[in-house]
């Protein structure tokens, strides 16, 4: 089955035909490293990784670039407000560079914990300032200069904003006015430093000392590292409205042609909670570490994301997360059984139909919910254990749940605030099991009460029988 992907530009499922035969070149908008990434941000990278794994499954040689934004992203999506990096540094007593290094490190740690394949290149914005200035010079004919910097005139490209879904008025009203702009949706290519103000990050340019506008970096780095045009550009759905239309406008100006720069533009929907979209600026966001501290393995969060299609909103609740953890435990337990059995069985030779069906599901715009059900069919199904184990490993290559190496014990994390260590819990639970086997329920209840006093709730109702939680 040919790979079909939903293209936000054409608003339909498009067949994937690579520009360079046998290759897939993908660019994903990366984190702004002024704070920790919340789990909503991580959904965007789990999605990009799922796409990358699917492209590899389909036999393409993948070139994936993710950028690290360490300059230029303002506190408002338009050109008003402060640079997020400058603002974070101002209150912290650390330099911007220290802040960027700290949060980049934390981000990459979460990437590893979620088993997200690192891209071929992490492309850092401040490593590309000279190229951004060159790009700005090349598109000067589409720009005009005002006091606050060099602005892109969006009326100079065909079809500006074709990607965005907002009604024109609605889109424009979201953009804060900057004095002197010709059209509300015009955006900064270069932001000159206000006279008398010294920024931590500023560079000389033909338009004065200053810093690049945020949208510029992605055009410069994607075209530099992947060519113009390249195959697929990804990001969260918020980027469909402003950031990506602006990238497209810059790309069109740069090639003096209507080509948007990438053939397919894909967007993951939001992780939401009761308060709406999870976001950094509103505070109160959850990081992967928050989940780990609550005793949840990071891959349970990955599974929770895969349970929803990437284009659907996904609601975060602790119940959903614990349900995903239980599902992961069941998978791991089932696979451990198969692994034990096939050591004893001779090699089979049957093909497992689900492997092909998973490939079809993934080829259908990354249908991960369906792939998970197929995986569970293999785990629960009949047939030669060796074949099933091989099939599970193949399927997991695209899902990325590390099912071949995860063990039950890995999935039981000790919550950060537990007043008792994991070994003691284990020992008490074993004693309790013996007591129950001997029908000594008074002793069993006493152990349960003792654990409860230490904050550990024993879940007798858990069909897996090896669970405890705080
Ligand atoms: P940022 O660090 O704010 O530039 O965001 C990094 C990535 O996360 C971008 O692709 C965003 O579109 C995406 N993103 C931000 N918030 C969410 C959310 N609540 N759910 C899913 N993706 C998000
Ligand atoms: Zn971007």
């Amino acid at each position: 089955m040919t790979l079909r992907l939903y293209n936000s530009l054409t608003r339909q499922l498009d067949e994937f035909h690579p520009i360079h035969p046998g290759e897939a070149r993908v660019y994903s908008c990366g984190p702004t490293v002024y704070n920790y990434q919340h789990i909503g941000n991580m959904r965007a990278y789990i999605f990009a990784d799922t796409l990358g794994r699917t492209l590899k499954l389909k036999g393409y040689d993948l070139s994936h670039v993710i950028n690290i934004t360490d300059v230029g992203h303002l506190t408002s999506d338009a050109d008003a407000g402060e640079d997020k990096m400058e603002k974070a540094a101002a209150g912290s007593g650390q330099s911007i560079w220290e802040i960027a290094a700290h949060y980049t490190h934390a981000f990459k740690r979460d990437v590893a914990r979620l088993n997200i394949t690192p891209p071929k290149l992490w492309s850092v914005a401040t490593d590309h300032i000279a190229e951004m200035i060159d790009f700005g010079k090349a598109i000067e004919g589409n720009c005009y200069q005002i006091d606050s910097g060099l602005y892109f005139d969006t009326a100079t490209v065909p079809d500006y904003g074709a990607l965005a879904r907002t009604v024109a008025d609605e889109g424009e009203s979201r953009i804060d006015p900057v004095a002197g702009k010709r059209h509300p949706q015009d955006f900064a290519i270069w932001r000159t430093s206000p006279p008398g103000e010294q920024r931590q990050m500023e560079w000389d340019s033909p338009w004065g000392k200053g810093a690049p506008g945020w949208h510029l970096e992605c055009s410069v780095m994607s075209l530099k590292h992947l060519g113009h045009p390249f195959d697929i550009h990804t990001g969260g759905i918020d980027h469909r409205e402003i950031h990506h239309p602006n990238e497209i406008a810059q790309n069109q100006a740069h090639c003096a042609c209507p080509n948007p720069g990438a053939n397919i533009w894909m967007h993951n929907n939001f992780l939401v909670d009761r308060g709406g979209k999870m976001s950094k600026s509103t505070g109160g966001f959850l990081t992967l570490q928050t989940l780990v501290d609550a005793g949840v393995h990071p891959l349970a969060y990955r599974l929770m994301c895969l349970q929803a299609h990437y284009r659907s909103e996904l609601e975060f609740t602790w119940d959903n997360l614990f349900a995903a953890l239980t599902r992961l435990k069941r998978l791991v337990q089932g696979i451990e059984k198969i692994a034990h059995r096939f050591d004893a069985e001779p090699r089979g030779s049957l093909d497992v139909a689900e492997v092909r069906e998973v490939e079809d599901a993934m080829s259908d715009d990354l249908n991960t919910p369906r792939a998970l059900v197929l995986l569970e069919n293999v785990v629960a199904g009949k047939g030669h254990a060796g074949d099933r184990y091989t099939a599970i490993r193949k399927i997991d290559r695209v899902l990325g749940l590390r099912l071949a190496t995860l063990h039950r014990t890995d999935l039981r994390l000790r919550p950060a605030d537990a007043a008792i260590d994991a070994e003691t819990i284990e020992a008490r639970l074993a004693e309790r099991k013996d007591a129950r086997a001997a029908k000594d329920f008074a002793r069993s209840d006493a152990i349960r009460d003792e654990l409860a006093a230490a904050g550990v709730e024993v879940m007798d109702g858990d069909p897996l029988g090896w669970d405890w939680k705080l």
Side-chain angles (χ1 to χ4, degrees), residues 53 115 299 303 306 327-336 339 371-372 375-376 379 389 391-408 410-411:
R53 286 169 181 270
N115 200 29
L299 290 174
L303 178 63
L306 297 179
R327 194 176 182 189
L328 184 59
K329 285 177 176 176
R330 280 179 198 283
L331 276 167
V332 167
Q333 193 181 37
I335 293 165
E336 276 179 7
L372 282 170
L375 169 69
E376 282 166 336
V379 175
Y389 191 74
I392 289 162
R393 293 193 66 153
K394 279 189 191 155
I395 293 171
D396 191 41
R397 232 173 270 154
V398 75
L399 296 176
L401 292 168
R402 293 206 346 237
L403 293 173
T405 50
L406 264 190
H407 293 284
R408 303 176 195 195
D410 300 327
L411 291 175

Side-chain angles (χ1 to χ4, degrees), residues 93-150:
Q94 286 185 305
S95 74
I96 285 189
W97 307 103
E98 285 164 333
I99 288 180
H102 174 78
Y103 291 114
T104 302
H105 178 79
F107 167 63
K108 289 184 180 171
R109 181 161 172 248
D110 286 352
V111 162
R113 292 198 284 187
L114 288 165
N115 200 29
I116 293 169
T117 317
K120 215 167 233 178
L121 180 70
W122 295 111
S123 188
V124 180
T126 50
D127 291 343
H128 294 78
I129 300 293
E131 280 131 319
M132 289 193 231
I133 292 172
D134 285 346
F135 196 107
K137 284 194 224 161
I139 63 170
E140 244 178 338
N142 298 72
C143 300
Y144 55 93
Q145 196 160 2
I146 52 179
D147 283 348
S148 55
L150 185 71

